[in-house]
Amino acid sequence: MRKTFGTGSIWEQKLGYSRAVQVDNTLYISATSASGENGIVGNDFYEQTRFILKKLEIVLADAGFALADVVQSKLYLTDISKWEDAGRAHGEVFGEIRPTLSLVHVLPFLDPEMLVEIELVAQKSAN
């Protein structure tokens, strides 16, 4: 089974991608930024990470998954020296869940106000 999920973002259509794709019991979520209705939300790594994780919790729920189902998390940071700020926000959400984690230093994103993007993989137990 393959099912796609969108958020209505103009970029999904323009670039030909889905916010998330479910294959059987696994959900793959595209890298997500802190973009809100009026632009980028938050002006530091902690705030943007928190906002993104709240957005991703909604994406997970829309697909019938939960934060507890997340098995892999990738944080893309434009300034790797700020890893502790992003990591603190990530730890507040995933401290007990403890998915795998990658911290990746990247060049600036298309919008220079974007400091963080997060990509998740979630998997439901096969019962």
Side-chain angles (χ1 to χ4, degrees):
M1 174 196 82
R2 182 180 194 273
K3 184 175 180 183
T4 60
F5 299 88
T7 59
S9 163
I10 60 166
W11 296 108
E12 292 171 14
Q13 189 62 38
K14 270 188 174 183
L15 299 176
Y17 75 97
S18 297
R19 174 61 47 208
V21 175
Q22 181 179 355
V23 178
D24 298 325
N25 65 337
T26 305
L27 185 70
Y28 304 88
I29 303 178
S30 294
T32 301
S33 70
S35 59
E37 290 183 14
N38 299 315
I40 301 302
V41 176
N43 58 9
D44 64 34
F45 286 79
Y46 175 82
E47 290 175 8
Q48 287 194 17
T49 301
R50 287 288 299 165
F51 182 81
I52 295 166
L53 291 172
K54 288 177 185 174
K55 279 178 65 171
L56 292 175
E57 186 173 14
I58 293 167
V59 172
L60 287 160
D62 287 348
F65 288 75
L67 288 168
D69 296 319
V70 173
V71 295
Q72 184 178 57
S73 180
K74 294 180 183 176
L75 274 66
Y76 300 96
L77 309 175
T78 58
D79 182 350
I80 200 67
S81 73
K82 303 296 185 185
W83 70 270
E84 289 182 90
D85 296 332
R88 180 167 46 95
H90 187 273
E92 290 171 3
V93 172
F94 289 113
E96 297 298 317
I97 300 165
R98 300 188 54 188
T100 64
L101 173 66
S102 297
L103 292 172
V104 182
H105 187 202
V106 298
L107 293 173
F109 296 109
L110 294 175
D111 183 335
E113 291 183 22
M114 291 170 47
L115 305 174
V116 180
E117 281 196 346
I118 301 174
E119 184 178 341
L120 299 178
V121 175
Q123 189 169 56
K124 289 184 180 181
S125 304
N127 291 337

PDB file of all heavy atoms in Angstrom, residues 5-42:
ATOM      1  N   PHE A   5       0.388  12.198   1.292  1.00  0.00           N
ATOM      2  CA  PHE A   5      -0.250  13.228   2.108  1.00  0.00           C
ATOM      3  C   PHE A   5       0.348  14.575   1.747  1.00  0.00           C
ATOM      4  O   PHE A   5       1.565  14.698   1.611  1.00  0.00           O
ATOM      5  CB  PHE A   5      -0.018  12.964   3.604  1.00  0.00           C
ATOM      6  CG  PHE A   5      -0.578  11.655   4.073  1.00  0.00           C
ATOM      7  CD1 PHE A   5       0.192  10.503   3.997  1.00  0.00           C
ATOM      8  CD2 PHE A   5      -1.859  11.576   4.578  1.00  0.00           C
ATOM      9  CE1 PHE A   5      -0.320   9.287   4.416  1.00  0.00           C
ATOM     10  CE2 PHE A   5      -2.380  10.363   4.998  1.00  0.00           C
ATOM     11  CZ  PHE A   5      -1.606   9.215   4.915  1.00  0.00           C
ATOM     12  N   GLY A   6      -0.499  15.584   1.598  1.00  0.00           N
ATOM     13  CA  GLY A   6      -0.038  16.932   1.290  1.00  0.00           C
ATOM     14  C   GLY A   6      -0.536  17.914   2.318  1.00  0.00           C
ATOM     15  O   GLY A   6      -1.433  17.614   3.115  1.00  0.00           O
ATOM     16  N   THR A   7       0.046  19.107   2.289  1.00  0.00           N
ATOM     17  CA  THR A   7      -0.384  20.166   3.196  1.00  0.00           C
ATOM     18  C   THR A   7      -0.966  21.354   2.439  1.00  0.00           C
ATOM     19  O   THR A   7      -1.323  22.351   3.048  1.00  0.00           O
ATOM     20  CB  THR A   7       0.794  20.655   4.060  1.00  0.00           C
ATOM     21  OG1 THR A   7       1.828  21.147   3.186  1.00  0.00           O
ATOM     22  CG2 THR A   7       1.336  19.551   4.948  1.00  0.00           C
ATOM     23  N   GLY A   8      -0.997  21.263   1.116  1.00  0.00           N
ATOM     24  CA  GLY A   8      -1.500  22.369   0.321  1.00  0.00           C
ATOM     25  C   GLY A   8      -0.437  23.394  -0.031  1.00  0.00           C
ATOM     26  O   GLY A   8      -0.733  24.409  -0.652  1.00  0.00           O
ATOM     27  N   SER A   9       0.799  23.124   0.329  1.00  0.00           N
ATOM     28  CA  SER A   9       1.897  24.042   0.020  1.00  0.00           C
ATOM     29  C   SER A   9       2.056  24.164  -1.498  1.00  0.00           C
ATOM     30  O   SER A   9       1.990  23.171  -2.227  1.00  0.00           O
ATOM     31  CB  SER A   9       3.197  23.515   0.627  1.00  0.00           C
ATOM     32  OG  SER A   9       4.317  24.151   0.040  1.00  0.00           O
ATOM     33  N   ILE A  10       2.278  25.392  -1.981  1.00  0.00           N
ATOM     34  CA  ILE A  10       2.497  25.581  -3.418  1.00  0.00           C
ATOM     35  C   ILE A  10       3.751  24.844  -3.879  1.00  0.00           C
ATOM     36  O   ILE A  10       3.847  24.441  -5.026  1.00  0.00           O
ATOM     37  CB  ILE A  10       2.587  27.080  -3.798  1.00  0.00           C
ATOM     38  CG1 ILE A  10       3.743  27.761  -3.068  1.00  0.00           C
ATOM     39  CG2 ILE A  10       1.282  27.789  -3.527  1.00  0.00           C
ATOM     40  CD1 ILE A  10       4.107  29.123  -3.631  1.00  0.00           C
ATOM     41  N   TRP A  11       4.699  24.659  -2.977  1.00  0.00           N
ATOM     42  CA  TRP A  11       5.956  23.992  -3.342  1.00  0.00           C
ATOM     43  C   TRP A  11       5.752  22.516  -3.632  1.00  0.00           C
ATOM     44  O   TRP A  11       6.448  21.940  -4.464  1.00  0.00           O
ATOM     45  CB  TRP A  11       7.001  24.198  -2.245  1.00  0.00           C
ATOM     46  CG  TRP A  11       7.358  25.640  -2.097  1.00  0.00           C
ATOM     47  CD1 TRP A  11       7.017  26.480  -1.068  1.00  0.00           C
ATOM     48  CD2 TRP A  11       8.063  26.443  -3.039  1.00  0.00           C
ATOM     49  NE1 TRP A  11       7.480  27.744  -1.315  1.00  0.00           N
ATOM     50  CE2 TRP A  11       8.136  27.749  -2.524  1.00  0.00           C
ATOM     51  CE3 TRP A  11       8.651  26.183  -4.272  1.00  0.00           C
ATOM     52  CZ2 TRP A  11       8.763  28.784  -3.193  1.00  0.00           C
ATOM     53  CZ3 TRP A  11       9.281  27.231  -4.947  1.00  0.00           C
ATOM     54  CH2 TRP A  11       9.330  28.504  -4.400  1.00  0.00           C
ATOM     55  N   GLU A  12       4.800  21.893  -2.969  1.00  0.00           N
ATOM     56  CA  GLU A  12       4.534  20.475  -3.219  1.00  0.00           C
ATOM     57  C   GLU A  12       4.150  20.265  -4.681  1.00  0.00           C
ATOM     58  O   GLU A  12       4.643  19.342  -5.334  1.00  0.00           O
ATOM     59  CB  GLU A  12       3.436  19.963  -2.281  1.00  0.00           C
ATOM     60  CG  GLU A  12       3.864  19.909  -0.837  1.00  0.00           C
ATOM     61  CD  GLU A  12       2.726  19.618   0.134  1.00  0.00           C
ATOM     62  OE1 GLU A  12       1.633  19.188  -0.306  1.00  0.00           O
ATOM     63  OE2 GLU A  12       2.918  19.833   1.340  1.00  0.00           O
ATOM     64  N   GLN A  13       3.279  21.108  -5.194  1.00  0.00           N
ATOM     65  CA  GLN A  13       2.854  20.990  -6.586  1.00  0.00           C
ATOM     66  C   GLN A  13       3.968  21.404  -7.544  1.00  0.00           C
ATOM     67  O   GLN A  13       4.239  20.724  -8.517  1.00  0.00           O
ATOM     68  CB  GLN A  13       1.598  21.840  -6.823  1.00  0.00           C
ATOM     69  CG  GLN A  13       0.967  21.616  -8.174  1.00  0.00           C
ATOM     70  CD  GLN A  13       0.480  20.185  -8.371  1.00  0.00           C
ATOM     71  OE1 GLN A  13      -0.028  19.565  -7.456  1.00  0.00           O
ATOM     72  NE2 GLN A  13       0.654  19.665  -9.560  1.00  0.00           N
ATOM     73  N   LYS A  14       4.611  22.544  -7.249  1.00  0.00           N
ATOM     74  CA  LYS A  14       5.666  23.060  -8.133  1.00  0.00           C
ATOM     75  C   LYS A  14       6.819  22.077  -8.299  1.00  0.00           C
ATOM     76  O   LYS A  14       7.341  21.900  -9.389  1.00  0.00           O
ATOM     77  CB  LYS A  14       6.226  24.371  -7.582  1.00  0.00           C
ATOM     78  CG  LYS A  14       5.539  25.593  -8.051  1.00  0.00           C
ATOM     79  CD  LYS A  14       6.304  26.817  -7.596  1.00  0.00           C
ATOM     80  CE  LYS A  14       5.679  28.046  -8.188  1.00  0.00           C
ATOM     81  NZ  LYS A  14       6.370  29.265  -7.878  1.00  0.00           N
ATOM     82  N   LEU A  15       7.232  21.471  -7.179  1.00  0.00           N
ATOM     83  CA  LEU A  15       8.406  20.601  -7.209  1.00  0.00           C
ATOM     84  C   LEU A  15       8.045  19.121  -7.361  1.00  0.00           C
ATOM     85  O   LEU A  15       8.928  18.284  -7.489  1.00  0.00           O
ATOM     86  CB  LEU A  15       9.251  20.806  -5.950  1.00  0.00           C
ATOM     87  CG  LEU A  15       9.805  22.214  -5.754  1.00  0.00           C
ATOM     88  CD1 LEU A  15      10.531  22.322  -4.433  1.00  0.00           C
ATOM     89  CD2 LEU A  15      10.720  22.605  -6.903  1.00  0.00           C
ATOM     90  N   GLY A  16       6.762  18.809  -7.307  1.00  0.00           N
ATOM     91  CA  GLY A  16       6.328  17.435  -7.506  1.00  0.00           C
ATOM     92  C   GLY A  16       6.691  16.508  -6.366  1.00  0.00           C
ATOM     93  O   GLY A  16       7.284  15.452  -6.577  1.00  0.00           O
ATOM     94  N   TYR A  17       6.348  16.899  -5.141  1.00  0.00           N
ATOM     95  CA  TYR A  17       6.624  16.030  -3.997  1.00  0.00           C
ATOM     96  C   TYR A  17       5.435  16.031  -3.043  1.00  0.00           C
ATOM     97  O   TYR A  17       4.540  16.856  -3.152  1.00  0.00           O
ATOM     98  CB  TYR A  17       7.904  16.448  -3.263  1.00  0.00           C
ATOM     99  CG  TYR A  17       7.779  17.690  -2.400  1.00  0.00           C
ATOM    100  CD1 TYR A  17       7.543  17.573  -1.030  1.00  0.00           C
ATOM    101  CD2 TYR A  17       7.927  18.959  -2.931  1.00  0.00           C
ATOM    102  CE1 TYR A  17       7.442  18.693  -0.218  1.00  0.00           C
ATOM    103  CE2 TYR A  17       7.827  20.090  -2.132  1.00  0.00           C
ATOM    104  CZ  TYR A  17       7.578  19.950  -0.792  1.00  0.00           C
ATOM    105  OH  TYR A  17       7.473  21.056   0.012  1.00  0.00           O
ATOM    106  N   SER A  18       5.444  15.093  -2.129  1.00  0.00           N
ATOM    107  CA  SER A  18       4.420  14.995  -1.090  1.00  0.00           C
ATOM    108  C   SER A  18       5.039  15.349   0.248  1.00  0.00           C
ATOM    109  O   SER A  18       6.222  15.086   0.478  1.00  0.00           O
ATOM    110  CB  SER A  18       3.867  13.566  -1.007  1.00  0.00           C
ATOM    111  OG  SER A  18       3.242  13.218  -2.215  1.00  0.00           O
ATOM    112  N   ARG A  19       4.241  15.915   1.148  1.00  0.00           N
ATOM    113  CA  ARG A  19       4.742  16.185   2.496  1.00  0.00           C
ATOM    114  C   ARG A  19       5.116  14.877   3.167  1.00  0.00           C
ATOM    115  O   ARG A  19       6.101  14.777   3.872  1.00  0.00           O
ATOM    116  CB  ARG A  19       3.672  16.925   3.306  1.00  0.00           C
ATOM    117  CG  ARG A  19       4.007  17.153   4.764  1.00  0.00           C
ATOM    118  CD  ARG A  19       5.249  17.994   5.000  1.00  0.00           C
ATOM    119  NE  ARG A  19       5.247  19.177   4.171  1.00  0.00           N
ATOM    120  CZ  ARG A  19       6.355  19.788   3.763  1.00  0.00           C
ATOM    121  NH1 ARG A  19       7.541  19.361   4.116  1.00  0.00           N
ATOM    122  NH2 ARG A  19       6.279  20.860   2.992  1.00  0.00           N
ATOM    123  N   ALA A  20       4.288  13.839   2.917  1.00  0.00           N
ATOM    124  CA  ALA A  20       4.571  12.527   3.492  1.00  0.00           C
ATOM    125  C   ALA A  20       4.080  11.440   2.540  1.00  0.00           C
ATOM    126  O   ALA A  20       3.125  11.643   1.798  1.00  0.00           O
ATOM    127  CB  ALA A  20       3.892  12.382   4.851  1.00  0.00           C
ATOM    128  N   VAL A  21       4.760  10.307   2.600  1.00  0.00           N
ATOM    129  CA  VAL A  21       4.361   9.134   1.826  1.00  0.00           C
ATOM    130  C   VAL A  21       4.359   7.943   2.778  1.00  0.00           C
ATOM    131  O   VAL A  21       5.353   7.688   3.469  1.00  0.00           O
ATOM    132  CB  VAL A  21       5.324   8.857   0.651  1.00  0.00           C
ATOM    133  CG1 VAL A  21       4.949   7.563  -0.066  1.00  0.00           C
ATOM    134  CG2 VAL A  21       5.336  10.032  -0.328  1.00  0.00           C
ATOM    135  N   GLN A  22       3.226   7.250   2.803  1.00  0.00           N
ATOM    136  CA  GLN A  22       3.120   6.035   3.620  1.00  0.00           C
ATOM    137  C   GLN A  22       3.256   4.831   2.709  1.00  0.00           C
ATOM    138  O   GLN A  22       2.583   4.728   1.685  1.00  0.00           O
ATOM    139  CB  GLN A  22       1.779   5.975   4.347  1.00  0.00           C
ATOM    140  CG  GLN A  22       1.642   4.735   5.223  1.00  0.00           C
ATOM    141  CD  GLN A  22       0.325   4.680   5.970  1.00  0.00           C
ATOM    142  OE1 GLN A  22      -0.482   5.604   5.922  1.00  0.00           O
ATOM    143  NE2 GLN A  22       0.105   3.579   6.659  1.00  0.00           N
ATOM    144  N   VAL A  23       4.147   3.928   3.078  1.00  0.00           N
ATOM    145  CA  VAL A  23       4.289   2.646   2.402  1.00  0.00           C
ATOM    146  C   VAL A  23       4.119   1.587   3.483  1.00  0.00           C
ATOM    147  O   VAL A  23       4.928   1.510   4.416  1.00  0.00           O
ATOM    148  CB  VAL A  23       5.659   2.503   1.704  1.00  0.00           C
ATOM    149  CG1 VAL A  23       5.775   1.128   1.049  1.00  0.00           C
ATOM    150  CG2 VAL A  23       5.862   3.617   0.680  1.00  0.00           C
ATOM    151  N   ASP A  24       3.031   0.833   3.380  1.00  0.00           N
ATOM    152  CA  ASP A  24       2.680  -0.165   4.380  1.00  0.00           C
ATOM    153  C   ASP A  24       2.612   0.491   5.759  1.00  0.00           C
ATOM    154  O   ASP A  24       1.846   1.415   5.952  1.00  0.00           O
ATOM    155  CB  ASP A  24       3.635  -1.361   4.322  1.00  0.00           C
ATOM    156  CG  ASP A  24       3.555  -2.070   2.972  1.00  0.00           C
ATOM    157  OD1 ASP A  24       2.454  -2.122   2.399  1.00  0.00           O
ATOM    158  OD2 ASP A  24       4.587  -2.545   2.480  1.00  0.00           O
ATOM    159  N   ASN A  25       3.454   0.068   6.697  1.00  0.00           N
ATOM    160  CA  ASN A  25       3.376   0.609   8.056  1.00  0.00           C
ATOM    161  C   ASN A  25       4.442   1.680   8.345  1.00  0.00           C
ATOM    162  O   ASN A  25       4.710   1.994   9.493  1.00  0.00           O
ATOM    163  CB  ASN A  25       3.468  -0.521   9.092  1.00  0.00           C
ATOM    164  CG  ASN A  25       4.814  -1.220   9.052  1.00  0.00           C
ATOM    165  OD1 ASN A  25       5.512  -1.195   8.042  1.00  0.00           O
ATOM    166  ND2 ASN A  25       5.181  -1.856  10.156  1.00  0.00           N
ATOM    167  N   THR A  26       5.040   2.238   7.276  1.00  0.00           N
ATOM    168  CA  THR A  26       6.091   3.236   7.434  1.00  0.00           C
ATOM    169  C   THR A  26       5.680   4.546   6.774  1.00  0.00           C
ATOM    170  O   THR A  26       5.156   4.547   5.662  1.00  0.00           O
ATOM    171  CB  THR A  26       7.407   2.739   6.829  1.00  0.00           C
ATOM    172  OG1 THR A  26       7.746   1.476   7.427  1.00  0.00           O
ATOM    173  CG2 THR A  26       8.542   3.716   7.080  1.00  0.00           C
ATOM    174  N   LEU A  27       5.930   5.657   7.472  1.00  0.00           N
ATOM    175  CA  LEU A  27       5.629   6.995   6.966  1.00  0.00           C
ATOM    176  C   LEU A  27       6.934   7.762   6.810  1.00  0.00           C
ATOM    177  O   LEU A  27       7.708   7.887   7.761  1.00  0.00           O
ATOM    178  CB  LEU A  27       4.698   7.739   7.931  1.00  0.00           C
ATOM    179  CG  LEU A  27       4.212   9.102   7.459  1.00  0.00           C
ATOM    180  CD1 LEU A  27       3.222   8.942   6.293  1.00  0.00           C
ATOM    181  CD2 LEU A  27       3.551   9.860   8.609  1.00  0.00           C
ATOM    182  N   TYR A  28       7.164   8.266   5.606  1.00  0.00           N
ATOM    183  CA  TYR A  28       8.348   9.073   5.300  1.00  0.00           C
ATOM    184  C   TYR A  28       7.885  10.513   5.147  1.00  0.00           C
ATOM    185  O   TYR A  28       7.014  10.797   4.322  1.00  0.00           O
ATOM    186  CB  TYR A  28       9.001   8.601   4.003  1.00  0.00           C
ATOM    187  CG  TYR A  28       9.372   7.143   4.013  1.00  0.00           C
ATOM    188  CD1 TYR A  28       8.461   6.162   3.615  1.00  0.00           C
ATOM    189  CD2 TYR A  28      10.628   6.739   4.442  1.00  0.00           C
ATOM    190  CE1 TYR A  28       8.801   4.820   3.632  1.00  0.00           C
ATOM    191  CE2 TYR A  28      10.973   5.391   4.460  1.00  0.00           C
ATOM    192  CZ  TYR A  28      10.064   4.443   4.050  1.00  0.00           C
ATOM    193  OH  TYR A  28      10.397   3.108   4.076  1.00  0.00           O
ATOM    194  N   ILE A  29       8.465  11.425   5.940  1.00  0.00           N
ATOM    195  CA  ILE A  29       8.048  12.828   5.893  1.00  0.00           C
ATOM    196  C   ILE A  29       9.178  13.676   5.331  1.00  0.00           C
ATOM    197  O   ILE A  29      10.320  13.624   5.809  1.00  0.00           O
ATOM    198  CB  ILE A  29       7.645  13.345   7.288  1.00  0.00           C
ATOM    199  CG1 ILE A  29       6.522  12.486   7.874  1.00  0.00           C
ATOM    200  CG2 ILE A  29       7.216  14.804   7.190  1.00  0.00           C
ATOM    201  CD1 ILE A  29       6.101  12.894   9.267  1.00  0.00           C
ATOM    202  N   SER A  30       8.839  14.464   4.306  1.00  0.00           N
ATOM    203  CA  SER A  30       9.804  15.353   3.660  1.00  0.00           C
ATOM    204  C   SER A  30      10.381  16.358   4.644  1.00  0.00           C
ATOM    205  O   SER A  30       9.735  16.712   5.639  1.00  0.00           O
ATOM    206  CB  SER A  30       9.132  16.135   2.528  1.00  0.00           C
ATOM    207  OG  SER A  30       8.727  15.287   1.496  1.00  0.00           O
ATOM    208  N   ALA A  31      11.573  16.842   4.335  1.00  0.00           N
ATOM    209  CA  ALA A  31      12.176  17.893   5.141  1.00  0.00           C
ATOM    210  C   ALA A  31      11.204  19.068   5.220  1.00  0.00           C
ATOM    211  O   ALA A  31      10.641  19.494   4.213  1.00  0.00           O
ATOM    212  CB  ALA A  31      13.510  18.324   4.535  1.00  0.00           C
ATOM    213  N   THR A  32      11.006  19.561   6.424  1.00  0.00           N
ATOM    214  CA  THR A  32       9.999  20.582   6.705  1.00  0.00           C
ATOM    215  C   THR A  32      10.655  21.762   7.412  1.00  0.00           C
ATOM    216  O   THR A  32      11.453  21.578   8.328  1.00  0.00           O
ATOM    217  CB  THR A  32       8.885  19.977   7.591  1.00  0.00           C
ATOM    218  OG1 THR A  32       8.308  18.861   6.892  1.00  0.00           O
ATOM    219  CG2 THR A  32       7.810  20.984   7.905  1.00  0.00           C
ATOM    220  N   SER A  33      10.289  22.963   6.983  1.00  0.00           N
ATOM    221  CA  SER A  33      10.852  24.177   7.581  1.00  0.00           C
ATOM    222  C   SER A  33       9.838  24.814   8.523  1.00  0.00           C
ATOM    223  O   SER A  33       8.721  24.342   8.679  1.00  0.00           O
ATOM    224  CB  SER A  33      11.224  25.176   6.480  1.00  0.00           C
ATOM    225  OG  SER A  33      10.042  25.699   5.887  1.00  0.00           O
ATOM    226  N   ALA A  34      10.230  25.930   9.097  1.00  0.00           N
ATOM    227  CA  ALA A  34       9.378  26.663  10.037  1.00  0.00           C
ATOM    228  C   ALA A  34       8.500  27.675   9.317  1.00  0.00           C
ATOM    229  O   ALA A  34       8.197  28.734   9.847  1.00  0.00           O
ATOM    230  CB  ALA A  34      10.238  27.344  11.093  1.00  0.00           C
ATOM    231  N   SER A  35       8.073  27.351   8.117  1.00  0.00           N
ATOM    232  CA  SER A  35       7.224  28.286   7.383  1.00  0.00           C
ATOM    233  C   SER A  35       5.804  28.256   7.937  1.00  0.00           C
ATOM    234  O   SER A  35       5.248  27.194   8.200  1.00  0.00           O
ATOM    235  CB  SER A  35       7.221  27.958   5.885  1.00  0.00           C
ATOM    236  OG  SER A  35       6.750  26.649   5.673  1.00  0.00           O
ATOM    237  N   GLY A  36       5.274  29.438   8.130  1.00  0.00           N
ATOM    238  CA  GLY A  36       3.907  29.597   8.611  1.00  0.00           C
ATOM    239  C   GLY A  36       3.121  30.433   7.622  1.00  0.00           C
ATOM    240  O   GLY A  36       3.612  30.751   6.535  1.00  0.00           O
ATOM    241  N   GLU A  37       1.916  30.785   7.985  1.00  0.00           N
ATOM    242  CA  GLU A  37       1.057  31.562   7.089  1.00  0.00           C
ATOM    243  C   GLU A  37       1.659  32.905   6.702  1.00  0.00           C
ATOM    244  O   GLU A  37       1.425  33.409   5.613  1.00  0.00           O
ATOM    245  CB  GLU A  37      -0.306  31.780   7.737  1.00  0.00           C
ATOM    246  CG  GLU A  37      -1.131  30.525   7.837  1.00  0.00           C
ATOM    247  CD  GLU A  37      -2.506  30.782   8.423  1.00  0.00           C
ATOM    248  OE1 GLU A  37      -2.930  31.960   8.514  1.00  0.00           O
ATOM    249  OE2 GLU A  37      -3.158  29.789   8.793  1.00  0.00           O
ATOM    250  N   ASN A  38       2.433  33.498   7.608  1.00  0.00           N
ATOM    251  CA  ASN A  38       3.005  34.826   7.355  1.00  0.00           C
ATOM    252  C   ASN A  38       4.518  34.813   7.240  1.00  0.00           C
ATOM    253  O   ASN A  38       5.187  35.772   7.602  1.00  0.00           O
ATOM    254  CB  ASN A  38       2.575  35.792   8.470  1.00  0.00           C
ATOM    255  CG  ASN A  38       1.075  35.961   8.525  1.00  0.00           C
ATOM    256  OD1 ASN A  38       0.438  36.133   7.495  1.00  0.00           O
ATOM    257  ND2 ASN A  38       0.511  35.868   9.710  1.00  0.00           N
ATOM    258  N   GLY A  39       5.070  33.708   6.767  1.00  0.00           N
ATOM    259  CA  GLY A  39       6.518  33.612   6.611  1.00  0.00           C
ATOM    260  C   GLY A  39       7.127  32.658   7.622  1.00  0.00           C
ATOM    261  O   GLY A  39       6.436  31.827   8.222  1.00  0.00           O
ATOM    262  N   ILE A  40       8.414  32.800   7.838  1.00  0.00           N
ATOM    263  CA  ILE A  40       9.145  31.919   8.747  1.00  0.00           C
ATOM    264  C   ILE A  40       8.813  32.276  10.194  1.00  0.00           C
ATOM    265  O   ILE A  40       8.819  33.447  10.572  1.00  0.00           O
ATOM    266  CB  ILE A  40      10.671  32.015   8.506  1.00  0.00           C
ATOM    267  CG1 ILE A  40      10.999  31.639   7.057  1.00  0.00           C
ATOM    268  CG2 ILE A  40      11.439  31.140   9.478  1.00  0.00           C
ATOM    269  CD1 ILE A  40      10.556  30.250   6.649  1.00  0.00           C
ATOM    270  N   VAL A  41       8.535  31.240  10.995  1.00  0.00           N
ATOM    271  CA  VAL A  41       8.187  31.426  12.408  1.00  0.00           C
ATOM    272  C   VAL A  41       9.434  31.160  13.250  1.00  0.00           C
ATOM    273  O   VAL A  41      10.050  30.106  13.152  1.00  0.00           O
ATOM    274  CB  VAL A  41       7.051  30.467  12.825  1.00  0.00           C
ATOM    275  CG1 VAL A  41       6.771  30.587  14.310  1.00  0.00           C
ATOM    276  CG2 VAL A  41       5.795  30.737  11.998  1.00  0.00           C
ATOM    277  N   GLY A  42       9.788  32.114  14.074  1.00  0.00           N
ATOM    278  CA  GLY A  42      10.949  31.980  14.953  1.00  0.00           C
ATOM    279  C   GLY A  42      12.199  32.535  14.292  1.00  0.00           C
ATOM    280  O   GLY A  42      12.394  32.398  13.087  1.00  0.00           O
TER     281      GLY A  42
END
